[in-house]
Amino acid sequence: MKKLYITIALLSCLCMNSCKHDEWFQRDPKTTITDEQLWNDPKLITSLLANYYNRLPTLHGVFNTGGMTELDDAMWSGHRDQNWRNDFQFGDDYGRYWDYGFIRDINLSLENLETQSITLTTAQKNLFRAELRFFRAFVYFEMVKRMGGIPIIQSQMIYDFSGDPTPLQVPRSKEHEVYDFIYSELEAIKEDLAVNNSSKTRANKYAALALESRAMLYAGSLAKYNSLMATPISTPGGEVGIPVSMASNYYNKSLAASQEIIAGPYSLYNSNPDKGANFYDMLNRKTGNEVIFAKDYAVGTKVHRFAYDNIIKSMTEDNESSSSISPSLSFVESFNYLDGSKGTIRDRDASGNYIAYSGIGDIFTGRDARLYGTVIYPGSTFRNNPVRIQAGVAVWNNGAYQLTTSPELGRNYTDGQVWTGFDGPQNDAMDVSNTGFYLRKFVSDASAASTRGTSASNWWPWFRLGEIYLNAAEAAFELNRPEALGYVNSIRERAGFSANSLNALTTDIIRNERRIELAFEDHRYFDLKRWRIAHIVWDGSENDANAVVRGLYGYRAVRPGHPDNGKYIYERVRPNRFRRARFFRLANYYSSIDQNVLNNNPKIVRNPFH
């Protein structure tokens, strides 16, 4: 009873107090933001948009160390618990992305902006609306390039509890209809985004054009190259498969968007006279005009662990785990020589004998400068310090070289000189290169960037001018336009080639330029898919140069009295940790749709081969 009397007394006091101060119950909550508050406060809306920017999706991008090792440009050499990346096949759901939760959030925000915002100016509403529609177009592009045609939902869908869910069951649009929607959205909003043109971290007019450039190039190549397959991949309703007659229109739209960007305020990064260092600096330094739209990081606020995961072995700062990405030999050989010859490593002469080099890095001289800007190889430097990459020694014995390695990194041979370097490579080892190469691109050289306490703050480029030049080149080439050659030569000149180094283009040249210029930027997987050659490049063959990741090991020759003594020879290797050739099936051109989605919406058509 005592507790009851106390409760009644408290209620009586509250009632009396409320009679005198009715506004007591009308006070705004201190821990909850109402819709009215949110949609009338530009700062709160900007905070919401920041959350949406952070949710923009990628597959192998935004410093996804593991994903970058699942194709042919690299293998996994980090902790063994992720060695499955070297022993997997592309599953039916590989790359699947079906995020209508994000689409709902965007649509709801668009509706609230219209119905709840009273005090915002017209200019503010136009900008916020344009950014939200940019997010939606971006997400739809990420879905269509993986899934094919998807339902286009532009408004909030609310169940009426009638027992009939059919009004909520929207069928998939045709594949080309999704690309058309993306284009129309970006065209409608690009001028409203011009207010953000000085920003590289918020969507601006040129970011919208860059998304147009990329998406329309994808649509054009899908229309053309799918039709060239022995059996084009399609569905009867067009959810998969774009008519070849639409290819030219898409290429023209991509080229127009690219040319508008190229004529704009950006320029290819060319601040460092050292062409290799310049290519590295282009993404590692936040200066210059090349980056159009980026995901930014800042020490003490928001950082990433990419340098921590991939710093070269001998330069680790406070961690033992490192060196997770080992670039492949086929990738290194895709960087041609500056004299125009193919990038095949010259490790043997015509008779099959080793070629001996005076310096361990001499075998890499005279190459496309982008190789230095992307890969750490023997004889190069990082953080102004020489790297120590040497697999072992080659001892001349009974008329042949015997290749030997030290079980311990950094140990000297019996002659007192290096046996195996502190940076390996080391076959079947963990946290050291297994291929003879380390990744430089995106690995920050800032002080303490590879420590857990500080980490790295270099940014991730959603769009940059280098891609736009190559988009323009490809679209113009497909349209038989003469300006295609100039775009490629501009990219190559930045990489150390002479002006107008090419006098003609081929499909293979354009595709190789994309591989080396845009490496590890989340393009290669989707490029090979849209060209319909992924099943050819990754054919599952143990003898294929790209299906299997290989490496190149350098050895110091121990051959007293011979001119080759103290020089370096190289051996091609197949790292033991790389266990299965990449095998891409026709079913992988479009990811499977989750069974729960199919169960909830019988109007959804399955993708081919699933």
Side-chain angles (χ1 to χ4, degrees):
M1 292 298 291
K2 182 177 181 181
K3 291 181 180 180
L4 177 61
Y5 286 132
I6 291 174
T7 303
I8 293 173
L10 285 172
L11 287 173
S12 299
C13 290
L14 288 173
C15 289
M16 288 187 291
N17 189 58
S18 65
C19 291
K20 296 178 181 179
H21 303 283
D22 291 339
E23 71 276 8
W24 192 88
F25 285 108
Q26 308 300 321
R27 292 179 180 177
D28 291 333
K30 301 298 184 183
T31 58
T32 303
I33 298 174
T34 66
D35 283 344
E36 182 181 3
Q37 290 171 320
L38 170 61
W39 295 105
N40 288 283
D41 186 332
K43 291 183 179 179
L44 291 177
I45 297 174
T46 302
S47 296
L48 177 66
L49 295 184
N51 173 269
Y52 289 176
Y53 278 111
N54 195 51
R55 291 168 63 182
L56 292 179
T58 66
L59 181 57
H60 301 138
V62 191
F63 305 112
N64 182 349
T65 291
M68 292 178 184
T69 66
E70 294 174 1
L71 305 181
D72 56 352
D73 288 345
M75 63 169 284
W76 175 264
S77 54
H79 197 281
R80 292 189 186 279
D81 63 1
Q82 293 192 52
N83 205 62
W84 57 266
R85 299 183 189 280
N86 296 323
D87 187 22
F88 86 109
Q89 293 182 351
F90 298 103
D92 286 355
D93 61 348
Y94 193 85
R96 177 192 289 165
Y97 181 64
W98 189 276
D99 193 354
Y100 280 93
F102 196 4
I103 293 295
R104 179 189 179 280
D105 289 346
I106 296 169
N107 286 337
L108 179 59
S109 294
L110 283 166
E111 292 177 17
N112 284 334
L113 184 65
E114 299 304 322
T115 60
Q116 301 285 340
S117 298
I118 300 172
T119 62
L120 295 185
T121 67
T122 300
Q124 288 172 325
K125 289 183 70 172
N126 287 343
L127 176 59
F128 292 141
R129 183 188 302 111
E131 286 184 273
L132 288 166
R133 291 171 72 179
F134 175 85
F135 298 147
R136 188 169 63 184
F138 192 108
V139 173
Y140 272 125
F141 175 57
E142 286 295 321
M143 287 201 281
V144 70
K145 72 181 185 181
R146 306 163 193 238
M147 313 301 300
I150 50 177
I152 298 176
I153 309 297
Q154 300 184 64
S155 60
Q156 186 183 183
M157 302 180 70
I158 302 175
Y159 181 51
D160 61 5
F161 297 98
S162 66
D164 179 15
T166 55
L168 304 180
Q169 295 171 344
V170 180
R172 296 173 64 182
S173 297
K174 291 176 170 41
E175 189 170 13
H176 75 82
E177 290 174 340
V178 181
Y179 281 101
D180 293 342
F181 174 74
I182 293 167
Y183 179 78
S184 64
E185 284 288 281
L186 295 171
E187 281 291 291
I189 64 175
K190 64 183 183 181
E191 295 302 333
D192 287 333
L193 290 172
V195 178
N196 286 343
N197 280 358
S198 62
S199 173
K200 293 182 183 293
T201 56
R202 289 181 67 172
N204 58 36
K205 174 183 177 178
Y206 295 99
L209 287 168
L211 183 51
E212 269 188 28
S213 168
R214 187 185 295 178
M216 295 303 99
L217 184 66
Y218 276 47
S221 49
L222 286 170
K224 176 178 179 178
Y225 291 103
N226 188 60
S227 72
L228 296 179
M229 298 185 74
T231 303
I233 302 173
S234 64
T235 55
E239 296 87 359
V240 165
I242 300 176
V244 66
S245 60
M246 304 181 75
S248 293
N249 181 48
Y250 287 127
Y251 283 132
N252 274 307
K253 289 177 176 177
S254 176
L255 181 59
S258 300
Q259 290 177 328
E260 189 170 353
I261 297 170
I262 292 170
Y266 305 95
S267 59
L268 292 173
Y269 188 91
N270 214 4
S271 299
N272 192 329
D274 181 325
K275 296 295 188 181
N278 181 76
F279 190 73
Y280 172 73
D281 290 347
M282 177 262 299
L283 291 175
N284 199 51
R285 308 282 185 261
K286 296 178 182 178
T287 57
N289 292 325
E290 174 140 352
V291 172
I292 299 169
F293 177 49
K295 185 169 185 174
D296 204 4
Y297 296 83
V299 172
T301 303
K302 182 178 181 180
V303 293
H304 60 82
R305 302 281 284 275
F306 196 74
Y308 176 88
D309 291 335
N310 294 293
I311 189 72
I312 189 167
K313 179 66 175 179
S314 66
M315 299 184 192
T316 55
E317 294 174 281
D318 71 351
N319 59 299
E320 292 298 325
S321 178
S322 65
S323 317
S324 298
I325 296 176
S326 288
S328 68
L329 177 58
S330 72
F331 174 63
V332 170
E333 291 189 314
S334 67
F335 293 84
N336 292 331
Y337 290 90
L338 294 175
D339 63 8
S341 57
K342 292 291 185 182
T344 305
I345 293 288
R346 298 163 183 171
D347 55 314
R348 306 261 185 156
D349 62 20
S351 301
N353 300 312
Y354 289 112
I355 299 175
Y357 290 85
S358 296
I360 195 167
D362 291 352
I363 197 171
F364 303 103
T365 59
R367 302 179 75 92
D368 185 324
R370 288 171 290 188
L371 175 61
Y372 177 90
T374 307
V375 174
I376 297 173
Y377 50 80
S380 60
T381 63
F382 188 71
R383 288 180 172 170
N384 296 317
N385 293 311
V387 302
R388 293 174 282 185
I389 303 175
Q390 178 184 315
V393 297
V395 181
W396 187 259
N397 187 22
N398 294 325
Y401 280 116
Q402 179 181 356
L403 307 179
T404 68
T405 61
S406 167
E408 180 183 341
L409 297 178
R411 180 183 293 184
N412 287 343
Y413 192 57
T414 56
D415 60 3
Q417 299 183 56
V418 174
W419 187 356
T420 296
F422 278 106
D423 293 313
Q426 199 169 35
N427 193 14
D428 204 28
M430 186 173 70
D431 301 323
V432 64
S433 175
N434 280 216
T435 63
F437 307 107
Y438 289 86
L439 185 66
R440 184 189 305 273
K441 192 174 190 179
F442 292 127
V443 179
S444 174
D445 62 357
S447 177
S450 66
T451 64
R452 285 169 288 186
T454 302
S455 296
S457 60
N458 50 310
W459 57 16
W460 174 264
W462 291 115
F463 299 104
R464 64 179 180 88
L465 194 60
E467 179 203 347
I468 303 305
Y469 268 81
L470 292 175
N471 291 353
E474 184 178 343
F477 179 79
E478 295 289 0
L479 294 167
N480 296 313
R481 297 272 293 269
E483 58 264 48
L485 182 61
Y487 294 132
V488 176
N489 276 332
S490 294
I491 288 290
R492 287 166 59 87
E493 186 174 357
R494 193 259 294 272
F497 289 90
S498 60
N500 302 314
S501 59
L502 294 174
N503 54 30
L505 285 181
T506 65
T507 299
D508 287 342
I509 289 174
I510 290 174
R511 292 176 178 178
N512 193 65
E513 285 294 320
R514 287 188 70 89
R515 183 181 189 184
I516 59 182
E517 174 74 23
L518 304 176
F520 303 104
E521 295 183 42
D522 204 18
H523 290 277
R524 182 156 176 79
Y525 179 76
F526 296 109
D527 279 347
L528 296 191
K529 288 213 308 175
R530 66 185 176 87
W531 294 326
R532 290 297 191 255
I533 61 173
H535 67 292
I536 299 171
V537 173
W538 303 319
D539 63 0
S541 170
E542 289 293 326
N543 298 317
D544 189 274
N546 287 301
V548 174
V549 169
R550 291 180 171 82
L552 185 74
Y553 285 12
Y555 296 84
R556 178 172 57 85
V558 178
R559 192 175 180 180
H562 190 274
D564 289 349
N565 186 54
K567 293 184 178 180
Y568 297 88
I569 63 174
Y570 287 85
E571 181 77 4
R572 294 168 182 263
V573 300
R574 186 192 194 283
N576 290 348
R577 287 190 67 180
F578 190 86
R579 298 174 58 185
R580 183 184 299 188
R582 303 295 190 222
F583 182 41
F584 187 99
R585 299 166 294 118
L586 294 180
N588 298 129
Y589 278 110
Y590 294 92
S591 300
S592 63
I593 300 173
D594 186 84
Q595 188 60 47
N596 289 329
V597 173
L598 298 171
N599 292 342
N600 292 333
N601 187 355
K603 296 178 183 177
I604 296 294
V605 176
R606 291 179 182 271
N607 274 332
F609 309 109
H610 297 298

